Amino acid sequence: KANGRNRRSFFEPNMEHHVQSKDRLSRELRLALKNDELTLAYQPQSDTSAKRIVSVEALARWTKEDGTVISPAQFIPVAEETGLINELGIWVLNKACAKAHEWPGITVSVNVSPNQFKHPRFVEKVMAILAANNLPPQRLEIEVTESVFAGRNDSVLKALRRLKNLGVKVALDDFGSGYSSLSYLRRFPFDTLKIDRDFVSDMNGNAEAEAILVSIIQLGKALGMTIVAEGIETLEQIRFLQAHDCNRMQGYYISRPLTDTALTAFLDEFHRVGTPGYGTDLSYQ
Ligand code: C2E
Ligand code: MG
Ligand code: MG
Ligand code: MG
């Protein structure tokens, strides 16, 4: 019976529409890259004292000519399926590394898809981009999700190791959102562990969620990693993470992702005022 249902759904108009629009999306994305319709937003990460911004994560944004905003959750998977992710990824790295000079002392994090590591000259490409922008490798952090460990991944691990040896920081993103996260910590010595925001949003007063969060922080620290909590939306969450020695925080409560100009203004304000946002609304965008 299940089989019959599947077969029927294959011809459902809905699905055809879905396939069509994906095809169209990939064509439009190719053009968008060429026509400079993509931009980067930067989301600050503060230390847990909430006094210094230490890092920013570059996040791809796509606004079509007619003003429609397509979220990365939509276009990144399409870019991955069509191979366009290689070109898009290089564009992101170039842009983020070029901008980094405007924010001295701040690390720039860039998300990298598994497919990009399969490209034979990816590491050389990254090093060339750093050199061209005169940016020390230590100022760049690469974020990967545990999906990099799927399938035959020797080449991926080799590329990650080379980048790390060259001084680029490597972060494990969305930690805990997958199925066997713990085993990955033994496969590669990540510099940074980013705890998935689901753990953070679940915690408010929930003893089990809090225990898990605290354990992840301790485990990560025991392994020598810098711990970043994602999706910080409340002051209570900040207090909790401070009490449990988390290293860094990222989330709407600190700041939403900002345009490059807005980030420059934000850094200025944040470092001048000290701890803005304690009890006030921080929506810059
Ligand atoms: P991510 O790398 O885990 O990025 C964090 C996402 O969480 C961002 O969504 C950010 O806007 C959102 N976020 C941050 N703080 C909060 C919060 O307090 N509450 C809530 N509800 N959300 C928060 P965004 O920008 O839509 O990006 C989604 C995903 O798309 C990213 O997840 C990343 O996996 C992917 N992505 C974005 N840009 C790139 C890129 O240049 N290359 C690749 N390969 N993937 C990218
Ligand atoms: Mg990320
Ligand atoms: Mg994440
Ligand atoms: Mg994510």
Side-chain angles (χ1 to χ4, degrees):
K1 188 168 181 201
N3 216 349
R5 199 159 53 221
N6 278 342
R7 208 174 302 138
R8 205 162 49 240
S9 74
F10 186 77
F11 296 105
E12 265 175 29
N14 259 355
M15 189 150 164
E16 235 171 81
H17 175 76
H18 178 68
V19 171
Q20 222 174 42
S21 71
K22 200 194 263 174
D23 220 53
R24 187 165 152 198
L25 206 61
S26 84
R27 269 202 314 276
E28 288 180 343
L29 182 57
R30 198 176 295 276
L31 275 175
L33 257 173
K34 217 168 78 187
N35 298 342
D36 233 19
E37 274 176 34
L38 296 191
T39 54
L40 284 184
Y42 300 89
Q43 188 175 32
Q45 279 176 17
S46 82
D47 64 5
T48 327
S49 74
K51 286 195 174 113
R52 289 225 58 92
I53 301 299
V54 288
S55 182
V56 292
E57 177 174 7
L59 296 158
R61 292 289 178 265
W62 178 14
T63 310
K64 287 191 188 176
E65 230 171 10
D66 64 4
T68 325
V69 176
I70 319 265
S71 97
Q74 235 183 314
F75 69 79
I76 294 291
V78 171
E80 283 171 342
E81 276 175 52
T82 56
L84 209 55
I85 194 68
N86 286 302
E87 201 183 324
L88 191 154
I90 292 301
W91 179 86
V92 172
L93 275 163
N94 255 315
K95 189 96 176 169
C97 289
K99 274 286 162 196
H101 283 287
E102 294 179 22
W103 311 306
I106 285 177
T107 305
V108 177
S109 298
V110 171
N111 295 285
V112 178
S113 294
N115 285 344
Q116 296 180 252
F117 289 101
K118 298 200 175 102
H119 200 275
R121 296 189 54 78
F122 178 68
V123 176
E124 284 73 17
K125 197 80 196 159
V126 173
M127 295 321 285
I129 290 171
L130 287 168
N133 289 289
N134 201 16
L135 194 72
Q138 292 75 14
R139 294 272 308 279
L140 176 67
E141 182 166 71
I142 272 173
E143 296 192 6
V144 299
T145 58
E146 46 190 62
S147 60
V148 293
F149 292 110
R152 289 183 56 83
N153 53 39
D154 292 355
S155 62
V156 177
L157 284 176
K158 210 172 130 201
L160 278 177
R161 240 173 244 125
R162 284 181 64 206
L163 283 169
K164 192 181 154 101
N165 288 339
L166 289 161
V168 174
K169 300 268 180 287
V170 184
L172 183 55
D173 200 2
D174 300 345
F175 180 77
S177 63
Y179 290 104
S180 38
S181 311
L182 283 182
S183 71
Y184 300 131
L185 296 183
R186 293 203 335 214
R187 309 260 301 270
F188 187 80
F190 291 96
D191 298 284
T192 308
L193 191 65
K194 295 190 77 174
I195 305 176
D196 194 71
R197 75 161 179 266
D198 279 357
F199 288 104
V200 177
S201 60
D202 281 355
M203 92 188 173
N204 309 315
N206 176 320
E208 287 80 14
E210 289 185 0
I212 293 175
L213 194 58
V214 172
S215 309
I216 297 177
I217 294 172
Q218 286 170 353
L219 169 73
K221 289 199 138 183
L223 293 171
M225 291 183 277
T226 298
I227 316 298
V228 183
E230 300 188 288
I232 305 303
E233 292 183 350
T234 68
L235 187 56
E236 291 69 42
Q237 292 167 341
I238 293 186
R239 296 281 182 238
F240 185 88
L241 293 164
Q242 281 172 339
H244 293 92
D245 285 331
C246 183
N247 301 102
R248 295 195 234 148
M249 309 180 296
Q250 179 178 348
Y252 293 169
Y253 195 89
I254 314 288
S255 170
R256 291 196 174 243
L258 304 169
T259 64
D260 49 1
T261 350
L263 174 67
T264 302
F266 175 85
L267 291 174
D268 221 48
E269 170 89 351
F270 194 92
H271 291 148
R272 191 165 49 79
V273 178
T275 55
Y278 274 56
T280 57
D281 178 26
L282 251 193
S283 27
Y284 258 65
Q285 196 181 276

